[in-house]
Each structure stands twice: as structure tokens, then as C-alpha cells.
Amino acid sequence: MSSWRTILLRIGDKCPEYNGNSDFKEHIEICYGVLRRELEYSGDDIFPFLLQCAEQMPHKIPLYGTVVGLLNLENEEFVKNIVENCQTNLQDALDSGNCNRIRILMRFLAVLMCSKVIQPGSLVVVFETLLSSAATTVDEEKGNPSWQACADFYITCILSCLPWGGAELVEQVPEEIERVMVGVEAYLSIRRHISDIGLSFFEDDDDTERSPDEKLMPDFLEDLWGRIQVLSSNGWKLESVPRPHLSFEAQLVAGRSHDFGPLSCPELPDPPSTLSSITCGKQRHDAELKYPQRIRRLNIFPANKIEYEAIQELYWYFKSVSESLAILPLRVGANDLQPIDRFIAEEYLLDVLFFFNGWGRIIQSEQLLHYLNKYDASRKECASYMVGLPVPFRYEYLMAETIFSQLLLLPQPPFKPMYYTLVIIDLCKALPGAFPAVVAGAVRALFEKIADLDMECRTRLILWFSHHLSNFQFIWPWEEWAYVLDLPKWAPQRVFVQEVFEREVRLSYWDKVKQSIENAPALEELLPPKGGPSFKYSTEDGKERNEQHGLSLELSSMVKGKQVAREVISWVEESVIPVHGSEVALRVVAQTLLDIGSKSFTHLITVLERYGQVIAKICNDQDKQIMLIDEVSSYWKNSAQMTALTIDRMMGYRLISNFAIVKWVLSAENIEQFHTSDRPWEILRNAVSKTYNRISDLRKEISSLKKNLASAEVVAAKTKADLEAAESKLTLVDGEPVLGENPVRLKRLKSSAERAKEEEASVRESLEAKEALLARALNENEALFLALYKNFSNVLMERLPDTSQAGTLRGLKTIQAVDEMAVDLEESSTMDVDNENGRPQKSQTNGGKENIGYNVGEKEQWCLSTLGYVKAFSRQYASEIWLYIEKLDAEVLTEDVHPLFRKAVYAGLRRPINEG
């Protein structure tokens, strides 16, 4: 017989433990029967495991709540402990700001209320506690409106409970829940509308791009409130939330309801002593980091498509039920799928993604291999649960849109992008007849809007798509996108295809990728170069040799002869630089060492470790380091991957500074690629990321050392006290009183005290050294960001049009149309309209050749791309930039800076433009 753990874990699943049955009532009866028998022997183990299951598989909470309700009939004390533990866990979650745990525990409380385990009034008190805290927070006089993100989160938690318990609350405590609803409405009337500045997937969705007469779209909380209002007007009836407690209502009413202890919301930071856009902006940024919005809807599929699949499924569901009950068939119309159903399905999907992510789980006392196996099983389990949610309608389109919204979520996805890649792959395998087509539709929809897609999202999409295709033999109907060859080289769709090919080659090899586009052979033009390294001193192909070839051969011989770096440095300083100059010496050394290390990544690391001192000696200033980067770029001109990787390694070995990389990327030669290639941006991202990671690592080390120091101080104080106590004792020696304890013990205590003091001093010294390194790193980071933004501002000022011509990104896009790429109006006028879908018959949707022209000029596209990356950098490193915002305002974002550049920086920082 299966153990009680498996029974509890697998409740609601169609599995052998429940005889392959999927009836919820039977599952609950079986689970309840097993747990009731085991309570006497394993009660202490069942109690925490049951709570853990409810928290980590929240889509099964209605089932667990009903089981707890039935157990309440048999063992009130056991269930009372569960309620008390829930109260403790919820209070801890509130104090620590654990958003997911707060939300899930509140849903569990709502379900326990439905199962008569807790009093409805107790749940209302919880709601009112959160509501009161939220209202106080946004109050200008009593609270701190900068922390509205926390207040909005509390209200979201209240509203998100109502689909699970609203009907019972209205039935049992109508006046109290009405009071809560009125309070929520009052809160919504005084809070500030949340703009998606800087976080929109598409540029056109950004509120800063709307004209004054355009109506603002509801933010997430306003949207949820509207959905709850519709649910309330429909009598709180919905099919997407299982209500298994109704099958046991006659039994559950006999149980004793328990009181839920009081909760308190944590104190939020006080408002800044000096109110300004900067001080409030910093606090607002901190609040949004701690209480992030869980989802932003991507809206890549038409709403009617998502609703249609659900309505079709509801029709067949009700049809089968009505036939089995021998009643008249029910007519299912568009109104049967309620707005709240989408929210509930999204909640289920996000919960499964959160609690089954392999990257976030820590399996203790397990070997690495077992961990990897568990991770693999975890993501497959994730896919399994995602395709079997307890909703009576199909949701493949909604599932795809939700996953993509998380993958592309700004400022960053909840988990590593690789996780979503694997989940999508497993879903394609789990639903081979449906989901691959939906994913393809999502890709086509995103491809259609790629020109408006945020630059960070665009990069993520390229990385995901290339990786996804590599798991399916690189199969894709490229002929649909062959028309991109007719677009200018800067057109985003063409650049997208080109970058996908480049990433595919990294994951496979050139010939394999070429083979995958055999249905569109002309696209070979967009493949990256096939050739390998470009060695300036190669002796192959009958190239003419000169003195530098001889120097390269001599250096190569020295390396193969395993001469040490010191000897090579002497050779360079004595034989090369005096005769040929430092530039030739740098070129010969860089090209030759790169060639020796070109066979593999390991060869490169070995060369840099052994002869990095030679490079460091030659490249002893920023100009020389820029020349070194030029040589790397020249040697690996056919491989963007190896260029980025080599520069990254050289920075890691301190051969190249981040300042040199910034200056090189923003040099005249490279800025011309900003709108046509990701190559310079990848190098810049790596450099800034490595700088940021060094600071993050130092902060973690300092935090750890502070804890160690506190422990060392406690130990040192204790050993000192023990020693002083021992020294102060009177001991009889030969009948005479002597000050001090037994000499042997006294010696041991002195030794312990000295060691503890030395340990404390050692830790303190390490801490001071790390803090000094952090201070230096922060100064370097400040200088780096200031240099980066100054350079961005300078290159953009040279190319951005006058403000009168383009004050917004929309205006920038319409300045100059490319005549040769314009739509043929005569052809357009003769197109017949397809009566079925209302589109011209010659146009193709979902990425098809709707219009072979791209009506944005090259200069304008360069500005759009660069501004997009400025916003992306500002958003990704907002926490660091806010530390230096006063200096950034004073030195870069001055009055004469271009408004579009200012807007890009402000958008990335989520800083309202009117604060400038």
C-alpha cells in the first residue's frame, strides 16, 4: 500500500495511488481515511507535511482544505495546531515580505473558511488588517506613498482570495465582506495609477508614448478589481475553482470553527526627511523590488482566440454533464467565460511555475547527480501539472502567453530563462498535437511586432528561439520569413533572423544551420561567416611574409619551448619595441598568443594564465588596451562568440579594463553596428555585468564576514569572561588561600581566550579589507556608469533629430520613410479582401509578408535601437544607478541633454519624466 505521504502528495492526480480515478470526492475520502488512521502514529509528521503540500502545490488547496475540514471532525486539537501554525507562518511571511507565501497562505485560509475550519469573521479581520495598512501607506499625511507597491500587493492578496471564498463570505457574513469591498473601492480612489513606464513589452504600450487624449489602460490592480466586480454581479458563481467542500457540506457543518489569531503588518520605512523626486524615487524603487508585480500580460493573441478555445471546451463539458444527467443541453455563449477565469488560470500557471522550478529548489544532503535527476523530474512534473489544471476549459493559448510573459518579464524574469525554455520543450512533448502550433503562433505574433518589442525582450526572445529550435532539429518554416531579404539591413525583422542564425551556429555548426534553411536557400546571406580565425601572420595560402611574420614565428617558438613570461617580456622589451615600436609589439604578441590559444577555450585560458603578464606589460594604459581589443576583434572577426568570450576572459584576468571596453564599443567603427548587430552590445553587456557581479560578490562576502565577526565577538567575550572568573577565584594551596584556579585549567582558558581574540582580529581585518575593496569597486562603478552615459549622450546628440521633429519615439519613427521600401499603393488598392478574416488575400498574418517595406530610415533606426539599449541598461542596473543619481543628473542629464535620451534613462529607472 502506498504511504500516507504519497497519498497526500498525489491527491487530485490521475495516478495508481488513487486507482487511476480522477474524481475529487473519491480522492478526498481516500486521503482522509488514510490520514485519520495514521494520525495516532505519525501526527507530528503529517502536520508539517500537509502544510508544505498546501503551500507548494496551491492549485490543490481546495482539496487539502476539505481534507483538513474532515480531520477537524475527528481531531480538533490537530486542526487547531494547523490553524495556529498558519497564523505564525503568515505573520513571518508578512514580516519578511515573502510575497508568494503571503498570497498562498491567504488563499489557504479562504478555503479553510469554506470547510468550516476557521470563522468567516476571522478571515474578514485579516482582510481589514491588510486594508488598513494599505490605506495608511498611501495616505500623504500618515503614511509613505512611495511604498504604494506594498499597499497594492496587500489589496491584490485580498481580491485574489475572493474567487476561492467570496461566495461563502457573502452568504455567511454579508455585511462584513461588503464593508471590505467598500474599503477596497475607497483605496482604489486614493491610490496613484501605476504606469508601465520602462516595463512595457512593446514601446507603443508605454504610457509615455500616449497622447494626452488617449485613455490610460487599467493597471493590474484596477483590472483585477474590475474582474472581481463582474464575478460579484454574477453571484460569485464560477467553474474554474473546484469546490469539493460542497460534497461534504453536511458533514463539515458539524465541525468546530477555530479562531485565527491577530496579525500585524510590518512598519514601512518613514518618508524621506527631504521630499524630492530623487529621495522618493529611491524608496519607490526599493518598494517595487520587494513587492514586484507578479505578471504583465503580453497580449500577443487576440482575446477572442483565448476565449474561443475556452468557450468550446466549456460547451463540450456542459454538454457531457447535461447528457449524463439526462437534462436539456445547456447553451454556452461568450458570457459563460468570465473575466475572472483568465486571472484564475494565470494564478494556477504561475503557481506551478514557481513551485516546480528546478533552479530555485535546494535539495539538501543529496549528491549532485541525484539533484540533477530531481531537477529533470521537477520540470517534467511542472509540465504535467500545467497541462492538467482544474479548469473546465482549454487554455493552450493562455498557457503559452503566460509563459512568454514570464520569459520576457521586465526588469527580469522570476527564474533563469533556461527554465522557461525547458518547460516549453516539455509542454510541446506533453501536448504534441496542440502546443507546438500555439508556440509557433506566439513566435509569429512576436515577430510581427518585433520592431516595437523592447530591446531586452528582443534579446531574450532571440536566445530562447535559437535554443528552442536546437532541441527540434532546427526545424522552422523559414520560407515564411524569406521576405526579410527584401528589407533594409537595419530592419528589426531582418536583424532578428540574422541574430537567431548566429546563435544557432553557436549551438550547433554552420553546415547544420545551413541545411535547416534549405526551403529558403536565399537566407544563407544572413548566416554568420563560416570561416575560422583571421590570423594576420598566417603562412598559409601563399601570403607575402614580412618582418612581423618572423617575429610572430619567433614568439610562437618561445611559447612552444615553454619559456616563462619573464623571458618573453625581456625579448619584447629588448628586441621588438626598440626596433619596431610598441604598436607592432602589441599586434604581434596579441595575434600570436590568440592564434596559439584558438584551438579551444581551454587553450585560450592556458595561454592567458601563462603569458597574461606579457600582455599586461605591453598594454599598460587604456589606449593600448583599446588596441588590444581591436586585435581580438580582428582575429575573431568571423566569430562574434569568440570575440565576446576572449574579451570577457581578458577582463577577468585584468588585462583589459571595463573603461577600455566602454570606449571601444562606443568608438566610431562599432557604433555603426548598433542597429544591425548584437555583437558590440554583447561585449558591453558582459563588461558591465562582470563589474556589477564583482560588487555583488563583495557585498555577499561582507555580509558573511559580519555574521562571522558577530559570532567571533561572542566567543571572545565568553572566553574572556571565563578567564576572568577563573582568575578571580580563591583556591586553597597547602592550606593557604591563593588567587586563581587550577594552573592547568587557567593555562587552557588563557590559550582559548587568546585564540578567540586572534580569530576576532583576523575576521575584523578581513572585513575591513573587503569593505575597502567594496568602496573602491563602488567608486569604479560610479565612474563607469558616468562614462557610459556620457558617451551614450554624446553619440546620440550627434544623430538624434531636433526636438521639434521628434519629441517621442513615435515621432522618431515617422520622420523619414524609405522611398524604395514603401508599399506599392497601386498593388495595395487592387487587393481583394478575404471575407473570412477581413484581411487582404495577399497579406500574410503571423509573420507573413504583409508589407515588404520598412518605413523607418537607417539613421532613425539607429537612434531607436540605441535608445532602447540605454533604457535596458538603466533598467537592469537601476539599483546601482540610483546610488549615483545626483551626480548623473548634474553631469549627464543636464538641461541641454536631448529629451529622448533623458526619457530613455528615466524610463529604465521607472522615474516619471515630469520629475526631470
Side-chain angles (χ1 to χ4, degrees):
M1 182 180 179
S2 300
S3 71
W4 61 265
R5 286 184 176 83
T6 308
I7 290 291
L8 194 55
L9 193 66
R10 290 295 179 185
I11 190 171
D13 298 346
K14 193 172 183 179
C15 58
E17 286 78 11
Y18 288 96
N19 304 316
N21 197 330
S22 58
D23 180 61
F24 285 168
K25 183 178 180 182
E26 185 174 334
H27 280 221
I28 291 170
E29 289 172 342
I30 293 173
C31 185
Y32 163 62
V34 171
L35 293 182
R36 183 179 59 177
R37 289 192 297 271
E38 293 290 336
L39 272 181
E40 183 179 351
Y41 311 102
S42 308
D44 292 342
D45 295 328
I46 292 174
F47 164 61
F49 191 77
L50 176 57
L51 284 178
Q52 188 179 4
C53 286
E55 285 189 35
Q56 298 195 6
M57 290 189 289
H59 56 291
K60 296 184 180 183
I61 276 181
L63 306 180
Y64 291 125
T66 306
V67 169
V68 173
L70 293 174
L71 290 173
N72 191 40
L73 303 174
E74 296 288 332
N75 193 327
E76 289 184 0
E77 192 62 28
F78 175 81
V79 174
K80 181 182 178 183
N81 288 336
I82 288 180
V83 173
E84 290 175 351
N85 201 269
C86 280
Q87 191 273 341
T88 302
N89 290 348
L90 183 53
Q91 184 62 64
D92 290 344
L94 285 167
D95 292 339
S96 62
N98 188 333
C99 295
N100 278 291
R101 201 175 195 198
I102 295 169
R103 184 177 47 78
I104 294 304
L105 284 171
M106 287 191 62
R107 187 190 304 175
F108 190 43
L109 292 182
V111 171
L112 290 179
M113 182 272 300
C114 295
S115 298
K116 316 300 180 186
V117 174
I118 66 172
Q119 297 279 359
S122 297
L123 184 60
V124 171
V125 170
V126 173
F127 288 170
E128 290 180 331
T129 300
L130 297 183
L131 182 57
S132 174
S133 175
T136 302
T137 298
V138 297
D139 189 288
E140 295 281 353
E141 297 179 358
K142 301 178 183 178
N144 185 356
S146 296
W147 279 79
Q148 183 181 310
C150 175
D152 280 358
F153 170 72
Y154 287 166
I155 302 301
T156 300
C157 287
I158 295 172
L159 296 180
S160 64
C161 286
L162 297 180
W164 279 266
E168 281 73 15
L169 287 170
V170 168
E171 179 183 344
Q172 298 177 44
V173 285
E175 294 181 0
E176 287 87 343
I177 192 61
E178 179 61 25
R179 187 169 67 241
V180 170
M181 299 292 277
V182 169
V184 171
E185 190 168 17
Y187 170 81
L188 289 169
S189 69
I190 61 174
R191 70 185 280 273
R192 176 175 50 86
H193 170 85
I194 297 300
S195 169
D196 272 346
I197 294 174
L199 300 179
S200 302
F201 298 111
F202 302 101
E203 294 291 354
D204 286 347
D205 294 339
D206 196 316
D207 287 344
T208 62
E209 289 297 305
R210 299 180 186 276
S211 58
D213 57 336
E214 284 186 85
K215 185 179 179 181
L216 289 177
M217 296 294 291
D219 62 28
F220 181 79
L221 184 55
E222 293 163 352
D223 176 85
L224 177 57
W225 171 246
R227 293 171 189 268
I228 292 294
Q229 290 289 89
V230 174
L231 176 62
S232 174
S233 65
N234 290 340
W236 301 95
K237 297 176 183 178
L238 72 166
E239 298 294 332
S240 50
V241 173
R243 301 170 64 78
H245 64 277
L246 296 178
S247 301
F248 301 91
E249 195 165 22
Q251 299 164 253
L252 293 173
V253 292
R256 178 191 168 200
S257 296
H258 303 273
D259 288 326
F260 190 79
L263 293 170
S264 61
C265 295
E267 293 290 329
L268 296 176
D270 293 328
S273 54
T274 304
L275 291 178
S276 69
S277 63
I278 292 178
T279 55
C280 292
K282 288 178 179 178
Q283 286 208 358
R284 188 163 57 241
H285 173 74
D286 292 340
E288 291 177 351
L289 278 182
K290 190 169 184 179
Y291 298 96
Q293 186 173 311
R294 198 177 186 209
I295 187 175
R296 286 183 172 79
R297 295 189 176 101
L298 192 54
N299 296 324
I300 50 175
F301 296 118
N304 59 354
K305 179 174 284 191
I306 293 176
E307 292 173 3
Y308 178 76
E309 69 167 353
I311 290 168
Q312 288 294 99
E313 185 66 17
L314 277 170
Y315 172 76
W316 293 109
Y317 169 77
F318 282 117
K319 187 173 186 295
S320 63
V321 171
S322 61
E323 287 176 350
S324 65
L325 297 177
I327 60 177
L328 292 174
L330 298 174
R331 182 180 181 275
V332 180
N335 293 328
D336 292 302
L337 183 65
Q338 298 188 59
I340 197 64
D341 287 319
R342 172 168 186 150
F343 169 78
I344 292 168
E346 288 171 342
E347 285 286 285
Y348 286 146
L349 292 166
L350 295 177
D351 288 341
V352 172
L353 282 170
F354 179 80
F355 288 104
F356 283 92
N357 80 87
W359 297 100
R361 300 176 68 182
I362 301 176
I363 300 176
Q364 298 177 345
S365 303
E366 302 284 350
Q367 294 182 352
L368 178 61
L369 179 61
H370 183 57
Y371 168 75
L372 293 174
N373 289 338
K374 290 290 287 184
Y375 169 61
D376 185 64
S378 173
R379 63 183 181 82
K380 292 184 185 301
E381 194 89 344
C382 175
S384 173
Y385 277 113
M386 289 187 80
V387 300
L389 298 179
V391 294
F393 52 80
R394 292 185 62 178
Y395 52 91
E396 286 92 346
Y397 282 98
L398 179 57
M399 181 160 60
E401 192 166 287
T402 302
I403 295 172
F404 277 102
S405 74
Q406 294 293 285
L407 172 66
L408 303 179
L409 187 66
L410 297 170
Q412 59 186 12
F415 310 109
K416 293 185 178 180
M418 179 64 69
Y419 174 51
Y420 303 102
T421 303
L422 296 173
V423 168
I424 291 172
I425 290 169
D426 286 327
L427 287 172
C428 287
K429 294 175 180 177
L431 298 171
F435 202 66
V438 176
V439 171
V443 173
R444 292 185 174 102
L446 288 167
F447 184 73
E448 276 190 354
K449 300 182 69 175
I450 201 72
D452 294 323
L453 190 63
D454 180 89
M455 296 304 296
E456 168 67 18
C457 295
R458 202 180 301 183
T459 301
R460 283 191 219 161
L461 184 64
I462 289 167
L463 295 175
W464 165 79
F465 189 45
S466 56
H467 192 180
H468 181 78
L469 293 181
S470 73
N471 284 273
F472 294 96
Q473 301 297 311
F474 298 101
I475 296 173
W476 181 257
W478 291 109
E479 62 275 11
E480 291 184 8
W481 293 350
Y483 71 89
V484 300
L485 289 171
D486 299 325
L487 301 177
K489 65 178 182 179
W490 59 86
Q493 287 187 335
R494 178 180 174 126
V495 174
F496 177 83
V497 174
Q498 169 188 300
E499 292 300 324
V500 168
F501 286 163
E502 203 280 325
R503 294 288 175 168
E504 284 185 342
V505 171
R506 296 190 190 190
L507 296 168
S508 181
Y509 51 95
W510 194 90
D511 290 321
K512 175 68 176 176
V513 177
K514 180 188 175 184
Q515 183 183 354
S516 71
I517 60 172
E518 57 186 10
N519 291 336
L523 286 176
E524 183 180 338
E525 178 185 331
L526 299 182
L527 288 177
K530 186 180 182 181
S534 180
F535 184 34
K536 289 182 178 178
Y537 307 119
S538 172
T539 56
E540 299 175 1
D541 302 329
K543 290 184 179 178
E544 183 180 348
R545 300 176 63 176
N546 55 31
E547 291 183 15
Q548 294 179 24
H549 283 76
L551 293 173
S552 176
L553 285 172
E554 188 174 351
L555 176 57
S556 183
S557 298
M558 294 175 72
V559 172
K560 290 176 182 177
K562 297 188 177 179
Q563 293 194 27
V564 296
R566 186 175 61 255
E567 294 173 337
V568 176
I569 291 173
S570 298
W571 173 76
V572 171
E573 291 181 335
E574 296 171 6
S575 304
V576 182
I577 294 178
V579 179
H580 302 279
S582 58
E583 290 189 15
V584 171
L586 189 155
R587 187 176 303 116
V588 169
V589 170
Q591 288 278 330
T592 306
L593 293 182
L594 285 172
D595 195 58
I596 293 171
S598 64
K599 292 182 180 178
S600 68
F601 181 65
T602 305
H603 281 76
L604 173 65
I605 297 300
T606 303
V607 167
L608 292 178
E609 286 179 350
R610 289 182 182 175
Y611 298 101
Q613 297 174 36
V614 180
I615 298 175
K617 190 71 175 178
I618 301 173
C619 303
N620 51 12
D621 60 40
Q622 190 176 106
D623 291 337
K624 294 286 194 338
Q625 291 174 8
I626 292 173
M627 290 174 61
L628 175 60
I629 300 173
D630 273 330
E631 293 304 321
V632 173
S633 179
S634 172
Y635 182 84
W636 287 114
K637 65 181 181 181
N638 294 327
S639 175
Q641 179 183 22
M642 286 306 300
T643 302
L645 191 151
T646 304
I647 293 172
D648 182 71
R649 287 296 84 204
M650 285 183 168
M651 182 180 169
Y653 286 113
R654 307 279 181 168
L655 305 177
I656 298 174
S657 71
N658 44 20
F659 292 95
I661 294 174
V662 167
K663 195 169 181 180
W664 180 81
V665 168
L666 290 160
S667 64
E669 180 182 353
N670 288 307
I671 61 175
E672 297 303 325
Q673 304 177 51
F674 278 8
H675 58 317
T676 59
S677 173
D678 189 53
R679 185 174 182 135
W681 295 113
E682 181 182 8
I683 294 167
L684 184 59
R685 284 196 301 268
N686 290 346
V688 179
S689 176
K690 189 175 285 291
T691 304
Y692 174 75
N693 289 341
R694 285 174 184 166
I695 292 175
S696 298
D697 292 342
L698 282 170
R699 284 173 174 155
K700 290 175 184 176
E701 291 173 12
I702 288 173
S703 176
S704 177
L705 283 170
K706 284 181 177 178
K707 292 178 183 177
N708 293 343
L709 179 59
S711 300
E713 287 174 341
V714 170
V715 172
K718 184 178 184 307
T719 55
K720 182 181 179 181
D722 290 345
L723 177 60
E724 291 173 348
E727 289 176 337
S728 65
K729 284 186 179 179
L730 288 174
T731 305
L732 289 175
V733 178
D734 297 329
E736 296 292 331
V738 177
L739 193 64
E741 235 184 38
N742 183 296
V744 175
R745 183 170 184 272
L746 201 59
K747 184 178 180 181
R748 188 172 65 250
L749 288 172
K750 284 182 179 179
S751 177
S752 297
E754 288 173 359
R755 282 199 307 270
K757 190 174 181 180
E758 289 172 1
E759 177 66 21
E760 180 189 352
S762 175
V763 174
R764 191 182 301 278
E765 185 179 336
S766 297
L767 177 60
E768 290 173 355
K770 292 294 183 183
E771 286 178 336
L773 285 174
L774 178 61
R776 192 170 68 188
L778 288 173
N779 288 334
E780 178 186 319
N781 202 39
E782 177 182 349
L784 175 68
F785 277 112
L786 287 173
L788 181 63
Y789 281 99
K790 283 177 182 176
N791 279 281
F792 273 140
S793 178
N794 291 337
V795 297
L796 280 162
M797 283 294 286
E798 294 173 2
R799 290 167 173 76
L800 280 170
D802 186 77
T803 310
S804 60
Q805 290 182 278
T808 65
L809 295 182
R810 289 182 184 178
L812 185 59
K813 291 177 183 178
T814 58
I815 285 181
Q816 178 183 338
V818 183
D819 295 336
E820 62 269 25
M821 293 296 156
V823 178
D824 187 338
L825 296 177
E826 182 178 351
E827 179 183 352
S828 176
S829 65
T830 60
M831 287 183 179
D832 296 322
V833 175
D834 184 338
N835 293 326
E836 181 180 348
N837 56 26
R839 290 182 179 272
Q841 289 181 343
K842 290 186 180 181
S843 72
Q844 298 179 30
T845 60
N846 293 333
K849 187 176 176 180
E850 217 175 293
N851 183 336
I852 65 168
Y854 181 62
N855 301 326
V856 176
E858 182 171 10
K859 181 180 177 182
E860 288 71 34
Q861 184 60 50
W862 184 95
C863 293
L864 290 168
S865 299
T866 306
L867 288 169
Y869 279 112
V870 168
K871 181 169 73 171
F873 274 106
S874 304
R875 180 173 52 223
Q876 185 173 359
Y877 299 104
S879 295
E880 299 300 315
I881 296 171
W882 273 110
L883 299 176
Y884 325 123
I885 195 66
E886 290 91 348
K887 189 166 285 190
L888 190 68
D889 279 351
E891 297 185 17
V892 181
L893 301 176
T894 55
E895 291 183 1
D896 57 346
V897 76
H898 197 286
L900 285 180
F901 175 69
R902 183 195 304 276
K903 182 184 287 188
V905 177
Y906 275 36
L909 299 176
R910 301 269 291 137
R911 186 179 179 185
I913 191 65
N914 55 15
E915 291 183 355

